[in-house]
Amino acid sequence: MKKDIVILGINVGENANHSLAHDGGACLQIGNKIVGAIAEERITRQKYCGGYSHAVNHLLKQANLTINNVDIVAVSCYGCEAKMENIGDLGFPDTCKVVLVPSHHLSHACSAYYPSKYKEALVLVADNEGNILGSKIYDDMWKNPMERLSLYWGENSSIELLERDMDQEDEISLGELYANFTKYVGFKTYLNAGKTMALASFGDSMKYDDVRLIELLENGKIKCPMRNNYWNSSEEIIRYFSEYGYELPQQRDPSKESEVGIWQDLASAVQHQLEEALLHKIRYWSNKTGCRSLCLAGGVALNCVANRRILDETPIERMYVQPNCGDQGQGLGNVLYVWYSVLRNSEPVEILGSGVYLGGEYSEQDCLDAISKFEGKIIYRVSNSVIDETAKYLSEGKIIGWFQGRSEWGPRALGNRSILADPRKEEMKDYINNAVKHREGFRPFAPIVPLDDATNYFDVSAPCPSMTIVAYTKKSAYDLIPAVVHVDGTARLQTVEEKDNPRMYDLLKRFSTYSGVPVLINTSFNDNNEPIVETPFDAINSFLRTELDMLIIGDIIIERSAK
């Protein structure tokens, strides 16, 4: 019998300050099946960390393989020219053939197009930056011509580049512009861009409408006219706004100043102009090609508010957003590139776990072993009716850590490593933000709902399984589920089908019998500034550090010991 080929996907690279690039991880393909994928941070417990060694070891152990079973290592790089000499010794044995994906953005494109199952589609990749184009000219990475926004055409099993934009020397990309404003309004790093998106809903996007952050040019082209002052981007924002007659303050210090007022308006301004730039680009190419299907990847694709406007305000009728669209998703893109472009396979690749439940799964004995490490701090029992008991506890106002099955691959908790709560009381949002998540009070929580109930509460016309597109909450539902309705009436919705996550589906239906609504608050199971929990030990540790009322691991119900 012919042996199934084993392909391992990883990503490497350096940031502008020559530190290890963020968002490392790995993906494992056996034959035509993606059998696992996990971020490095889930194992090391260092949020956003780069690297791949822990992720690789985890995936191989889970598949009962060793590194000697791997045939091909598919690797992409970041922040340099895409050349083998730039990736160094990866530490794999000579029996593993190393294949370099020739473009960071191409890896992103593969990760979005092939899982979409569209026969043909436009594929838009937008992020901070990818590879240096051509030969390196400047020591400062960002000054070089770079991948910043790329558009591809996917058809059957091939992907071809249609256009690069914002790729000249010293340009600012859409991702970098948004990152610069994220830092300026007080959120420190581009990795907190989601906070800027949430804050934008409180501001007036028209207050600085005369300040052109992004120019919309002919033929769908776009350009950021600001200087690329990478090391002092906040000073460049202040300087640029002064050209329009505005005197802006110094970068916000969150320890001394709240995010209200001007900071909300600035977040709203950059959010609105980002949306307009994406609409401009996509309208042009959709009209030019006649294509009505779109795939999105790259960090900008995490902007679920912009994604909704794309569906509402362009000719696009079908859109697939790679759930793990940041650089953690490169491992998937890399193995798919090898499968279709190097090995020339036409057989479709199957992604197990509904495309997202690809991380670790732990036996009941694993869970009991973890529990034994917290003797005296917790009590536990095994339930014969865990769905019913959990639903009842939630309806009584309990906040529950929910740990089930394989962990999610990507930045969102999608019902297997989640904190769940009742959305019927508005104050629940503030309590979880303050006492459980220890984060800013303006940040919203996502609702999770069975797909067959979704239209009773939200304006949604297609499944939203991965929180990649916001939905508008129906006015009739505002008073029913106020804790999951953002200030602008939107919700970062997750819909669940029984075939994808039967246990979560059953829990939602059972909760409805107690509460009258099949909707729960669903937020990631982690404390502020830590990765989502991966193992039973992580879950118990996080439970004890927060104000969660209970922890459910499989059928095991865990509470704190009486003091």
Short mmCIF file of all heavy atoms in Angstrom, two decimals, residues 457-480:
data_model
loop_
_atom_site.label_atom_id
_atom_site.label_comp_id
_atom_site.label_asym_id
_atom_site.label_seq_id
_atom_site.Cartn_x
_atom_site.Cartn_y
_atom_site.Cartn_z
N TYR A 457 -32.91 36.77 15.69
CA TYR A 457 -32.23 37.77 16.52
C TYR A 457 -31.30 38.68 15.73
O TYR A 457 -31.04 39.81 16.17
CB TYR A 457 -31.42 37.05 17.62
CG TYR A 457 -32.28 36.18 18.49
CD1 TYR A 457 -32.50 34.84 18.17
CD2 TYR A 457 -32.89 36.69 19.63
CE1 TYR A 457 -33.30 34.03 18.95
CE2 TYR A 457 -33.70 35.88 20.43
CZ TYR A 457 -33.91 34.56 20.08
OH TYR A 457 -34.70 33.77 20.85
N PHE A 458 -30.83 38.20 14.58
CA PHE A 458 -29.81 38.94 13.84
C PHE A 458 -30.15 39.01 12.35
O PHE A 458 -30.80 38.11 11.80
CB PHE A 458 -28.44 38.27 14.01
CG PHE A 458 -28.03 38.10 15.44
CD1 PHE A 458 -28.19 36.87 16.09
CD2 PHE A 458 -27.49 39.15 16.15
CE1 PHE A 458 -27.82 36.70 17.41
CE2 PHE A 458 -27.12 39.00 17.48
CZ PHE A 458 -27.29 37.77 18.11
N ASP A 459 -29.68 40.09 11.73
CA ASP A 459 -29.83 40.27 10.29
C ASP A 459 -28.70 39.53 9.61
O ASP A 459 -27.62 40.08 9.37
CB ASP A 459 -29.80 41.76 9.94
CG ASP A 459 -29.84 42.01 8.45
OD1 ASP A 459 -30.25 41.10 7.70
OD2 ASP A 459 -29.45 43.13 8.03
N VAL A 460 -28.93 38.28 9.30
CA VAL A 460 -27.88 37.43 8.74
C VAL A 460 -28.50 36.52 7.69
O VAL A 460 -29.60 36.00 7.88
CB VAL A 460 -27.19 36.61 9.86
CG1 VAL A 460 -28.18 35.74 10.60
CG2 VAL A 460 -26.06 35.78 9.33
N SER A 461 -27.82 36.37 6.56
CA SER A 461 -28.36 35.59 5.45
C SER A 461 -27.54 34.35 5.13
O SER A 461 -27.90 33.59 4.23
CB SER A 461 -28.46 36.47 4.19
OG SER A 461 -27.18 36.97 3.84
N ALA A 462 -26.44 34.15 5.84
CA ALA A 462 -25.57 33.00 5.58
C ALA A 462 -24.92 32.58 6.90
O ALA A 462 -24.87 33.37 7.86
CB ALA A 462 -24.49 33.35 4.56
N PRO A 463 -24.42 31.36 6.99
CA PRO A 463 -23.75 30.93 8.21
C PRO A 463 -22.56 31.84 8.55
O PRO A 463 -21.86 32.33 7.67
CB PRO A 463 -23.27 29.51 7.88
CG PRO A 463 -24.18 29.05 6.79
CD PRO A 463 -24.50 30.27 5.99
N CYS A 464 -22.34 32.05 9.85
CA CYS A 464 -21.18 32.82 10.34
C CYS A 464 -20.47 31.97 11.39
O CYS A 464 -20.54 32.25 12.59
CB CYS A 464 -21.64 34.14 10.96
SG CYS A 464 -22.58 35.23 9.88
N PRO A 465 -19.78 30.90 10.97
CA PRO A 465 -19.25 29.94 11.93
C PRO A 465 -17.98 30.38 12.64
O PRO A 465 -17.57 29.73 13.61
CB PRO A 465 -18.98 28.71 11.07
CG PRO A 465 -18.68 29.27 9.71
CD PRO A 465 -19.56 30.48 9.57
N SER A 466 -17.34 31.47 12.17
CA SER A 466 -15.99 31.78 12.68
C SER A 466 -15.82 33.21 13.16
O SER A 466 -14.69 33.67 13.32
CB SER A 466 -14.96 31.49 11.58
OG SER A 466 -15.08 30.19 11.10
N MET A 467 -16.91 33.94 13.39
CA MET A 467 -16.83 35.33 13.89
C MET A 467 -16.04 36.25 12.97
O MET A 467 -15.32 37.13 13.45
CB MET A 467 -16.20 35.38 15.29
CG MET A 467 -16.96 34.69 16.37
SD MET A 467 -16.19 35.05 17.97
CE MET A 467 -17.01 33.88 19.02
N THR A 468 -16.15 36.08 11.68
CA THR A 468 -15.36 36.90 10.75
C THR A 468 -16.17 38.02 10.11
O THR A 468 -15.60 38.84 9.40
CB THR A 468 -14.77 36.02 9.64
OG1 THR A 468 -15.82 35.26 9.02
CG2 THR A 468 -13.73 35.07 10.20
N ILE A 469 -17.47 38.06 10.36
CA ILE A 469 -18.34 39.09 9.80
C ILE A 469 -19.35 39.50 10.87
O ILE A 469 -19.98 38.64 11.48
CB ILE A 469 -19.10 38.58 8.55
CG1 ILE A 469 -18.12 38.09 7.48
CG2 ILE A 469 -20.00 39.66 7.97
CD1 ILE A 469 -18.78 37.37 6.32
N VAL A 470 -19.52 40.80 11.11
CA VAL A 470 -20.51 41.22 12.09
C VAL A 470 -21.92 41.08 11.51
O VAL A 470 -22.12 41.11 10.29
CB VAL A 470 -20.30 42.67 12.57
CG1 VAL A 470 -18.98 42.83 13.29
CG2 VAL A 470 -20.46 43.67 11.45
N ALA A 471 -22.87 40.94 12.40
CA ALA A 471 -24.28 40.96 12.03
C ALA A 471 -24.94 42.12 12.75
O ALA A 471 -24.47 42.56 13.81
CB ALA A 471 -24.94 39.64 12.42
N TYR A 472 -26.01 42.61 12.18
CA TYR A 472 -26.80 43.63 12.86
C TYR A 472 -27.88 42.95 13.70
O TYR A 472 -28.60 42.07 13.23
CB TYR A 472 -27.43 44.60 11.85
CG TYR A 472 -26.39 45.44 11.15
CD1 TYR A 472 -25.95 45.12 9.87
CD2 TYR A 472 -25.82 46.53 11.79
CE1 TYR A 472 -24.97 45.87 9.24
CE2 TYR A 472 -24.84 47.30 11.17
CZ TYR A 472 -24.42 46.96 9.90
OH TYR A 472 -23.44 47.70 9.28
N THR A 473 -27.98 43.37 14.95
CA THR A 473 -28.98 42.82 15.85
C THR A 473 -30.34 43.41 15.51
O THR A 473 -30.47 44.62 15.31
CB THR A 473 -28.63 43.14 17.31
OG1 THR A 473 -27.26 42.80 17.56
CG2 THR A 473 -29.52 42.38 18.27
N LYS A 474 -31.34 42.56 15.44
CA LYS A 474 -32.69 43.05 15.17
C LYS A 474 -33.19 43.85 16.37
O LYS A 474 -32.94 43.50 17.52
CB LYS A 474 -33.62 41.88 14.87
CG LYS A 474 -33.30 41.21 13.53
CD LYS A 474 -34.34 40.18 13.15
CE LYS A 474 -34.09 39.67 11.73
NZ LYS A 474 -35.09 38.66 11.31
N LYS A 475 -33.90 44.93 16.09
CA LYS A 475 -34.38 45.81 17.17
C LYS A 475 -35.21 45.02 18.18
O LYS A 475 -35.17 45.30 19.39
CB LYS A 475 -35.22 46.94 16.57
CG LYS A 475 -34.40 47.92 15.72
CD LYS A 475 -33.55 48.82 16.61
CE LYS A 475 -32.64 49.74 15.78
NZ LYS A 475 -33.37 50.63 14.89
N SER A 476 -35.95 44.05 17.70
CA SER A 476 -36.79 43.25 18.59
C SER A 476 -35.97 42.42 19.57
O SER A 476 -36.51 41.94 20.58
CB SER A 476 -37.69 42.33 17.76
OG SER A 476 -36.90 41.47 16.94
N ALA A 477 -34.67 42.26 19.31
CA ALA A 477 -33.81 41.44 20.17
C ALA A 477 -32.98 42.27 21.14
O ALA A 477 -32.33 41.70 22.02
CB ALA A 477 -32.90 40.57 19.32
N TYR A 478 -32.97 43.60 20.97
CA TYR A 478 -32.12 44.44 21.82
C TYR A 478 -32.36 44.18 23.31
O TYR A 478 -31.40 44.06 24.09
CB TYR A 478 -32.37 45.92 21.52
CG TYR A 478 -31.58 46.49 20.38
CD1 TYR A 478 -31.25 45.72 19.27
CD2 TYR A 478 -31.16 47.81 20.38
CE1 TYR A 478 -30.54 46.23 18.21
CE2 TYR A 478 -30.43 48.35 19.32
CZ TYR A 478 -30.13 47.55 18.23
OH TYR A 478 -29.43 48.08 17.18
N ASP A 479 -33.61 44.11 23.70
CA ASP A 479 -33.92 43.94 25.13
C ASP A 479 -33.83 42.49 25.58
O ASP A 479 -33.79 42.22 26.78
CB ASP A 479 -35.33 44.49 25.42
CG ASP A 479 -35.41 46.00 25.26
OD1 ASP A 479 -34.37 46.66 25.41
OD2 ASP A 479 -36.51 46.50 24.98
N LEU A 480 -33.78 41.57 24.63
CA LEU A 480 -33.70 40.15 24.98
C LEU A 480 -32.28 39.72 25.28
O LEU A 480 -32.05 38.89 26.17
CB LEU A 480 -34.26 39.29 23.83
CG LEU A 480 -35.73 39.46 23.49
CD1 LEU A 480 -36.09 38.63 22.25
CD2 LEU A 480 -36.61 39.06 24.66
#
